[in-house]
Amino acid sequence: MTTDTRPVLACRGISLGYGGRRLIDDLSLELQPGEVLAVTGPSGCGKSSLVRVLAGLDRPRSGSVEIPGRRRGAIAVAFQDTGIPGTITGLQAILAGRLHALPWWNAWLGMPSHEAGHACRLAEDLGVGHLLDRPVATASGGERQRLSVARALHHRGNIVLLDEPVSQLDEESSRRVMGRLRAEAATTGRAVLAVVHQQVLVDECADRELAFAGDTTWRLRRLPR
């Protein structure tokens, strides 16, 4: 893991809500390089909303999100709705994670071979290697989730935000995905924030847990490692 202890992302007094409904009040935390932060809580408590705010897609009601030295492509995101077109292959879906970092002509001439090699290794690690040359339309919901995770990891941003990346997976596949995320954080120094419902996966794979109670309150705890 990286020895850099400077946070890659910081929330300062974040409050979230819609209309007259309050979801989260006065959330402050720092996301460290090389850590896995699991976000837990009941449905509708603001977990997905927090991911969108951290990704810069929505604004909080109050407070700020700071990304020191923010650069283009710093954040990779995978949502529950993967948004992957059914007409492309699994390999193309994963490779799309790097389009932001390559010259425009690569979209027409094809990806460098080392990019394809990295994408293929991710697919095999996550159990979707059989989809590399198949249309995404033939994939199940859980397989699409894993392709979306692979795309986010292929992006190679130093912050990876994942909204329920294993919600459609069985126990074995869920452990495989979360274990790969754990390894990614440990070996590359990327920070991973993942919304997870299965407490056993949180306990096994996360460094810290951000738990929402559903009444605007929250608790941040470090897990034994």
Side-chain angles (χ1 to χ4, degrees), residues 24 43 53 74 79 87 95 97 106 130 165 180 191 198 204 209 215:
I24 300 170
S43 298
V53 166
F79 292 108
T87 54
L95 288 173
N106 281 119
H130 60 287
R180 184 62 179 80
Q198 301 93 320
E204 288 178 359
E209 178 186 5
D215 58 0

Side-chain angles (χ1 to χ4, degrees), residues 18-125:
Y18 298 99
R21 186 184 179 198
R22 295 160 53 210
L23 294 175
I24 300 170
D25 278 343
D26 196 27
L27 172 64
S28 294
L29 65 86
E30 293 182 343
L31 188 60
Q32 301 295 333
E35 83 162 325
V36 176
L37 175 65
V39 180
T40 64
S43 298
C45 70
K47 302 184 299 296
S48 296
S49 298
L50 177 63
V51 171
R52 292 187 59 84
V53 166
L54 297 182
L57 299 175
D58 290 337
R59 287 178 171 270
R61 277 188 166 182
S62 61
S64 63
V65 177
E66 303 167 12
I67 302 176
R70 182 166 190 165
R71 57 179 175 78
R72 182 170 176 257
I75 298 178
V77 189
F79 292 108
Q80 292 184 64
D81 181 359
T82 65
I84 301 175
T87 54
I88 65 174
T89 66
L91 177 58
Q92 290 171 325
I94 299 171
L95 288 173
R98 286 292 285 168
L99 288 177
H100 71 284
L102 297 171
W104 63 267
W105 57 80
N106 281 119
W108 300 99
L109 300 179
M111 288 283 185
S113 59
H114 69 275
E115 296 291 351
H118 184 256
C120 290
R121 288 191 295 274
L122 284 171
E124 293 296 339
D125 288 349

Side-chain angles (χ1 to χ4, degrees), residues 5 14 16 22 34 48 106 110 139 161 167 170 172 185 187 210 219:
T5 58
I14 290 289
L16 304 179
R22 295 160 53 210
S48 296
N106 281 119
L161 307 177
S167 61
D170 59 27
E172 180 181 355
T187 58
L210 174 62
R219 177 173 63 99

Side-chain angles (χ1 to χ4, degrees), residues 104-168:
W104 63 267
W105 57 80
N106 281 119
W108 300 99
L109 300 179
M111 288 283 185
S113 59
H114 69 275
E115 296 291 351
H118 184 256
C120 290
R121 288 191 295 274
L122 284 171
E124 293 296 339
D125 288 349
L126 295 171
V128 287
H130 60 287
L131 295 172
L132 287 169
D133 59 356
R134 287 170 48 186
V136 172
T138 67
S140 66
E143 288 172 334
R144 290 192 186 211
Q145 273 195 317
R146 283 177 280 173
L147 286 172
S148 183
V149 171
R151 179 178 60 182
L153 293 180
H154 189 61
H155 180 284
R156 297 181 199 159
N158 63 341
I159 303 168
V160 182
L161 307 177
L162 306 164
D163 187 11
E164 298 196 29
V166 297
S167 61
Q168 298 186 56

